[in-house]
Amino acid sequence: MEERKRIFSGMQPSGMITLGNYLGALKNWTNLQDEYDCLYCIVDMHAITVRQDPVKLRKQCKDLLTQYLAVGIHPEKNIIYYQSHVSQHAELSWILNCYTYMGELNRMTQFKDKAAKHSDNINAGLYTYPVLMAADILLYQTDLVPVGEDQRQHLEITRDIAGRFNALYGDTFKIPEAYIGKVGARVMALQDPSKKMSKSDENQNNTIALMDDPAVIMNKVKRAVTDSENEVRYGEDKPGISNLLNIYCACTGKTIAEAEKEFSATGYGAFKTAVGEAVVAELEPVQKKIKELEQNKDYLNEVIRNGAERAGNLAAKTLTKVQKKIGFPPAIR
Ligand code: TYM
């Protein structure tokens, strides 16, 4: 039997996740779990590249775990775990740091954006963030990495690091491919559709949080910035309407052409109501499930214990191989 392809992806527990994270990543993850062997990580080590409150961070990790489960990521079919529970991530990351050039890291747009935003804390971890991400992916001999469009550059550097290592030491890492969905890969801020919807946005009207009440969602969509025409059409000259069309299609499964046709005779008001309703219909069942899961502490603990054990076993294999190739002496047991 042909071996199933492996998928790895992760999300930072750095605040309430948004409709962008949901449509760009989570929703795709659930669609992939039957066809692939998947690892879905909660990347707490990445989250501390910006300052986090320890009590809040712990809660955000647990919240993200319930969110993964609530959208339908199955804990037995997939491996779900906290990054900090599998020490091989940090170990491989150090090794890969020594095979990554500063010139490469200097080009990373996310580093530039985050450094500008957190100018009081431009730490070395923020700079080498993509190397830890490469370690995450390469530890598991990953074939595909489902992410939103904003992570494409990090995938490219991961491939470059893996290729460089393989060229020096022979085949060690599988070279992973990005898997970027057609709709939902780039959900933009509602009040400023030139920038992406982001968890860390200070303007709450820019984002729809996974846990927003239906009335709040309707309100935010109604207030979304559009343009002075009244034509529901997708196009570069219409970033606000295009963003809403994208959201609508990602939630309903319709194509852009179908949606344009559906709203060809209606104004923006009716269109926005339909978009809001589609988002509510998508998120309401998830919210209900989250509330149920939150009550079940023992179950959550078991998922995370089991995930760390399974991920650790796989990660150890790659790390041992790498250590041997680069000449570290074997541990005496
Ligand atoms: P993070 O936590 O910022 O985002 C998690 C996922 O959500 C996607 N995403 C979006 N998709 C569409 N529209 C948006 N507005 C939007 N905002 C975010 C992201 O592309 C991502 O897929 N570095 C990663 C976490 C990570 C990772 C990894 C991912 C660490 N190691 C290994 C894949 C593989 C990040 O910060 O994602």
Side-chain angles (χ1 to χ4, degrees):
M1 208 176 80
E2 207 186 321
E3 234 182 81
R4 298 215 305 178
K5 288 202 167 166
R6 181 162 294 151
I7 281 198
F8 181 96
S9 201
M11 205 172 271
Q12 295 193 65
S14 53
M16 184 36 92
I17 67 170
T18 69
L19 186 67
N21 300 127
Y22 176 75
L23 296 177
L26 277 184
K27 197 171 149 84
N28 287 332
W29 296 0
T30 56
N31 294 333
L32 297 165
Q33 60 187 348
D34 291 322
E35 215 180 312
Y36 298 93
D37 282 337
C38 310
L39 291 106
Y40 293 124
C41 186
I42 292 162
V43 294
D44 48 358
M45 288 160 65
H46 277 99
I48 62 163
T49 53
V50 303
R51 229 27 110 224
Q52 302 288 344
D53 174 276
V55 174
K56 278 196 195 147
L57 180 60
R58 224 176 331 266
K59 171 153 191 334
Q60 283 163 195
C61 287
K62 201 163 135 240
D63 287 348
L64 196 50
L65 169 64
T66 57
Q67 287 156 11
Y68 278 15
L69 296 169
V71 299
I73 299 170
H74 198 284
E76 274 143 38
K77 279 191 202 159
N78 309 283
I79 299 180
I80 302 175
Y81 69 105
Y82 295 138
Q83 187 183 29
S84 62
H85 285 188
V86 178
S87 61
Q88 286 86 354
H89 287 252
E91 294 175 75
L92 182 62
S93 179
W94 172 255
I95 294 172
L96 296 182
N97 262 318
C98 303
Y99 297 85
T100 307
Y101 298 116
M102 288 176 69
E104 289 175 302
L105 294 174
N106 288 338
R107 286 199 290 275
M108 296 292 116
T109 54
Q110 195 169 81
F111 170 70
K112 289 185 213 167
D113 292 348
K114 286 204 179 171
K117 216 163 153 190
H118 303 277
S119 55
D120 56 336
N121 179 23
I122 306 177
N123 61 71
L126 193 62
Y127 187 61
T128 59
Y129 177 115
V131 185
L132 177 58
M133 186 158 157
D136 298 342
I137 296 167
L138 300 178
L139 261 182
Y140 300 98
Q141 306 294 346
T142 302
D143 295 282
L144 286 176
V145 186
V147 282
E149 186 62 50
D150 62 323
Q151 297 298 318
R152 194 186 282 281
Q153 201 184 23
H154 289 159
L155 251 292
E156 283 308 313
I157 193 173
T158 299
R159 289 165 57 86
D160 291 345
I161 297 169
R164 180 172 308 137
F165 195 98
N166 286 351
L168 284 166
Y169 300 104
D171 244 5
T172 310
F173 297 121
K174 195 165 263 178
I175 310 285
E177 306 261 355
Y179 177 96
I180 297 179
K182 284 199 185 66
V183 283
R186 208 167 152 73
V187 178
M188 310 308 280
L190 297 178
Q191 295 295 317
D192 177 2
S194 68
K195 64 173 195 184
K196 72 165 188 173
M197 185 180 282
S198 160
K199 297 186 204 84
S200 53
D201 202 314
E202 272 153 24
N203 180 356
Q204 302 249 322
N205 285 324
N206 267 332
T207 57
I208 292 175
L210 192 71
M211 293 306 280
D212 273 350
D213 281 337
V216 173
I217 295 174
M218 293 303 291
N219 212 355
K220 286 182 177 175
V221 174
K222 283 198 177 137
R223 291 168 66 173
V225 165
T226 53
D227 51 57
S228 56
E229 300 176 358
N230 210 14
E231 187 192 2
V232 179
R233 170 178 57 82
Y234 196 91
E236 259 176 43
D237 55 328
K238 293 171 80 71
I241 290 293
S242 299
N243 189 34
L244 293 179
L245 271 169
N246 234 331
I247 292 174
Y248 180 74
C249 291
C251 289
T252 58
K254 292 179 185 167
T255 64
I256 297 282
E258 283 166 351
E260 282 175 338
K261 200 160 157 218
E262 187 179 349
F263 298 106
S264 61
T266 49
Y268 286 175
F271 171 56
K272 283 179 163 179
T273 303
V275 176
E277 283 169 355
V279 175
V280 169
E282 185 74 27
L283 297 188
E284 241 183 349
V286 177
Q287 297 178 348
K288 229 171 124 196
K289 189 88 202 161
I290 288 174
K291 289 192 182 122
E292 272 168 43
L293 281 164
E294 276 170 349
Q295 309 304 317
N296 206 341
K297 238 182 174 168
D298 291 345
Y299 173 69
L300 296 177
N301 284 341
E302 180 48 28
V303 168
I304 220 65
R305 190 203 58 73
N306 182 267
E309 186 179 311
R310 288 160 68 203
N313 288 339
L314 293 172
K317 284 195 192 139
T318 302
L319 185 68
T320 305
K321 190 162 142 190
V322 168
Q323 288 171 328
K324 201 167 159 192
K325 293 225 176 185
I326 58 178
F328 286 178
I332 311 296
R333 297 190 202 280

mmCIF file of all heavy atoms in Angstrom, residues 7-8 10 50 61 75 113 116 120-121 161 201 242 244 254 256 261 274 306 327:
data_model
loop_
_atom_site.group_PDB
_atom_site.id
_atom_site.type_symbol
_atom_site.label_atom_id
_atom_site.label_comp_id
_atom_site.label_asym_id
_atom_site.label_seq_id
_atom_site.Cartn_x
_atom_site.Cartn_y
_atom_site.Cartn_z
ATOM 1 N N ILE A 7 1.183 15.804 6.512
ATOM 2 C CA ILE A 7 0.894 17.235 6.588
ATOM 3 C C ILE A 7 1.303 17.762 7.951
ATOM 4 O O ILE A 7 1.088 17.096 8.969
ATOM 5 C CB ILE A 7 -0.621 17.448 6.364
ATOM 6 C CG1 ILE A 7 -0.902 17.370 4.872
ATOM 7 C CG2 ILE A 7 -1.111 18.735 6.998
ATOM 8 C CD1 ILE A 7 -2.189 17.935 4.421
ATOM 9 N N PHE A 8 1.912 18.951 7.973
ATOM 10 C CA PHE A 8 2.174 19.629 9.246
ATOM 11 C C PHE A 8 1.677 21.058 9.130
ATOM 12 O O PHE A 8 1.897 21.726 8.121
ATOM 13 C CB PHE A 8 3.692 19.656 9.550
ATOM 14 C CG PHE A 8 3.989 20.326 10.869
ATOM 15 C CD1 PHE A 8 4.161 19.566 12.017
ATOM 16 C CD2 PHE A 8 4.045 21.714 10.974
ATOM 17 C CE1 PHE A 8 4.393 20.181 13.246
ATOM 18 C CE2 PHE A 8 4.270 22.332 12.196
ATOM 19 C CZ PHE A 8 4.448 21.569 13.331
ATOM 20 N N GLY A 10 0.629 24.685 11.918
ATOM 21 C CA GLY A 10 0.565 25.185 13.284
ATOM 22 C C GLY A 10 -0.057 26.563 13.336
ATOM 23 O O GLY A 10 -0.177 27.245 12.315
ATOM 24 N N VAL A 50 6.968 37.577 20.766
ATOM 25 C CA VAL A 50 6.495 38.875 21.273
ATOM 26 C C VAL A 50 6.073 38.641 22.717
ATOM 27 O O VAL A 50 5.749 37.517 23.099
ATOM 28 C CB VAL A 50 5.347 39.504 20.431
ATOM 29 C CG1 VAL A 50 5.755 39.679 18.988
ATOM 30 C CG2 VAL A 50 4.088 38.679 20.510
ATOM 31 N N CYS A 61 -3.290 28.790 25.032
ATOM 32 C CA CYS A 61 -2.905 27.470 24.507
ATOM 33 C C CYS A 61 -4.100 26.520 24.621
ATOM 34 O O CYS A 61 -4.436 25.808 23.671
ATOM 35 C CB CYS A 61 -1.718 26.895 25.284
ATOM 36 S SG CYS A 61 -0.175 27.717 24.904
ATOM 37 N N PRO A 75 -8.679 14.051 17.204
ATOM 38 C CA PRO A 75 -7.414 13.819 17.918
ATOM 39 C C PRO A 75 -6.820 12.435 17.728
ATOM 40 O O PRO A 75 -5.670 12.213 18.099
ATOM 41 C CB PRO A 75 -7.789 14.035 19.385
ATOM 42 C CG PRO A 75 -9.243 13.807 19.445
ATOM 43 C CD PRO A 75 -9.815 14.184 18.112
ATOM 44 N N ASP A 113 7.805 43.525 9.476
ATOM 45 C CA ASP A 113 6.524 44.055 9.994
ATOM 46 C C ASP A 113 6.490 43.990 11.511
ATOM 47 O O ASP A 113 6.132 44.954 12.189
ATOM 48 C CB ASP A 113 5.334 43.221 9.478
ATOM 49 C CG ASP A 113 5.129 43.390 7.986
ATOM 50 O OD1 ASP A 113 5.748 44.312 7.414
ATOM 51 O OD2 ASP A 113 4.350 42.605 7.393
ATOM 52 N N ALA A 116 8.807 46.375 13.275
ATOM 53 C CA ALA A 116 8.302 47.745 13.273
ATOM 54 C C ALA A 116 7.222 47.915 14.346
ATOM 55 O O ALA A 116 7.144 48.933 15.033
ATOM 56 C CB ALA A 116 7.743 48.083 11.895
ATOM 57 N N ASP A 120 10.262 48.060 20.655
ATOM 58 C CA ASP A 120 10.920 48.001 21.962
ATOM 59 C C ASP A 120 11.424 46.588 22.291
ATOM 60 O O ASP A 120 12.041 46.371 23.320
ATOM 61 C CB ASP A 120 9.938 48.465 23.053
ATOM 62 C CG ASP A 120 8.653 47.641 23.023
ATOM 63 O OD1 ASP A 120 8.317 47.073 21.953
ATOM 64 O OD2 ASP A 120 8.001 47.543 24.075
ATOM 65 N N ASN A 121 11.127 45.628 21.433
ATOM 66 C CA ASN A 121 11.502 44.248 21.752
ATOM 67 C C ASN A 121 11.840 43.475 20.468
ATOM 68 O O ASN A 121 11.172 42.522 20.107
ATOM 69 C CB ASN A 121 10.347 43.581 22.519
ATOM 70 C CG ASN A 121 10.644 42.123 22.876
ATOM 71 O OD1 ASN A 121 11.808 41.714 22.942
ATOM 72 N ND2 ASN A 121 9.604 41.345 23.107
ATOM 73 N N ILE A 161 16.506 25.854 3.258
ATOM 74 C CA ILE A 161 17.339 25.284 4.335
ATOM 75 C C ILE A 161 17.443 23.763 4.155
ATOM 76 O O ILE A 161 18.527 23.175 4.250
ATOM 77 C CB ILE A 161 16.748 25.633 5.732
ATOM 78 C CG1 ILE A 161 16.759 27.150 5.962
ATOM 79 C CG2 ILE A 161 17.509 24.904 6.842
ATOM 80 C CD1 ILE A 161 15.963 27.603 7.191
ATOM 81 N N ASP A 201 -4.655 42.858 15.680
ATOM 82 C CA ASP A 201 -5.136 44.186 15.279
ATOM 83 C C ASP A 201 -5.815 44.881 16.454
ATOM 84 O O ASP A 201 -6.620 44.281 17.165
ATOM 85 C CB ASP A 201 -6.138 44.028 14.119
ATOM 86 C CG ASP A 201 -6.275 45.306 13.318
ATOM 87 O OD1 ASP A 201 -6.407 46.385 13.942
ATOM 88 O OD2 ASP A 201 -6.256 45.231 12.086
ATOM 89 N N SER A 242 -14.505 42.573 -2.803
ATOM 90 C CA SER A 242 -13.820 41.312 -3.133
ATOM 91 C C SER A 242 -13.551 40.508 -1.871
ATOM 92 O O SER A 242 -13.708 39.278 -1.853
ATOM 93 C CB SER A 242 -12.497 41.592 -3.855
ATOM 94 O OG SER A 242 -12.749 42.275 -5.053
ATOM 95 N N LEU A 244 -15.291 40.592 0.913
ATOM 96 C CA LEU A 244 -16.564 40.025 1.396
ATOM 97 C C LEU A 244 -17.003 38.854 0.517
ATOM 98 O O LEU A 244 -17.529 37.853 1.015
ATOM 99 C CB LEU A 244 -17.648 41.115 1.447
ATOM 100 C CG LEU A 244 -17.431 42.231 2.484
ATOM 101 C CD1 LEU A 244 -18.554 43.255 2.424
ATOM 102 C CD2 LEU A 244 -17.297 41.678 3.901
ATOM 103 N N LYS A 254 -19.626 28.284 -2.367
ATOM 104 C CA LYS A 254 -19.981 28.724 -3.727
ATOM 105 C C LYS A 254 -18.757 29.313 -4.418
ATOM 106 O O LYS A 254 -17.799 29.708 -3.752
ATOM 107 C CB LYS A 254 -21.073 29.800 -3.653
ATOM 108 C CG LYS A 254 -22.399 29.243 -3.147
ATOM 109 C CD LYS A 254 -23.460 30.320 -3.057
ATOM 110 C CE LYS A 254 -24.712 29.727 -2.434
ATOM 111 N NZ LYS A 254 -25.696 30.704 -2.014
ATOM 112 N N ILE A 256 -16.935 32.299 -6.853
ATOM 113 C CA ILE A 256 -17.087 33.756 -6.970
ATOM 114 C C ILE A 256 -18.133 34.073 -8.050
ATOM 115 O O ILE A 256 -19.012 34.920 -7.857
ATOM 116 C CB ILE A 256 -15.733 34.422 -7.318
ATOM 117 C CG1 ILE A 256 -14.704 34.191 -6.197
ATOM 118 C CG2 ILE A 256 -15.911 35.899 -7.647
ATOM 119 C CD1 ILE A 256 -14.827 35.054 -4.966
ATOM 120 N N LYS A 261 -23.387 36.347 -9.464
ATOM 121 C CA LYS A 261 -24.678 36.193 -10.137
ATOM 122 C C LYS A 261 -25.823 36.340 -9.125
ATOM 123 O O LYS A 261 -26.805 37.046 -9.362
ATOM 124 C CB LYS A 261 -24.720 34.809 -10.805
ATOM 125 C CG LYS A 261 -25.749 34.720 -11.897
ATOM 126 C CD LYS A 261 -25.453 33.569 -12.846
ATOM 127 C CE LYS A 261 -26.756 33.177 -13.528
ATOM 128 N NZ LYS A 261 -26.869 31.732 -13.698
ATOM 129 N N ALA A 274 -26.301 38.914 3.740
ATOM 130 C CA ALA A 274 -26.067 37.503 3.367
ATOM 131 C C ALA A 274 -24.675 37.049 3.806
ATOM 132 O O ALA A 274 -24.492 35.923 4.281
ATOM 133 C CB ALA A 274 -26.233 37.330 1.858
ATOM 134 N N ASN A 306 -1.276 12.481 24.805
ATOM 135 C CA ASN A 306 -1.142 11.524 23.722
ATOM 136 C C ASN A 306 -0.466 12.152 22.496
ATOM 137 O O ASN A 306 0.395 11.545 21.857
ATOM 138 C CB ASN A 306 -2.563 11.032 23.394
ATOM 139 C CG ASN A 306 -2.569 10.005 22.314
ATOM 140 O OD1 ASN A 306 -2.728 10.345 21.141
ATOM 141 N ND2 ASN A 306 -2.384 8.751 22.670
ATOM 142 N N GLY A 327 27.743 14.881 12.810
ATOM 143 C CA GLY A 327 28.936 14.470 13.561
ATOM 144 C C GLY A 327 28.844 14.579 15.069
ATOM 145 O O GLY A 327 29.865 14.511 15.754
#
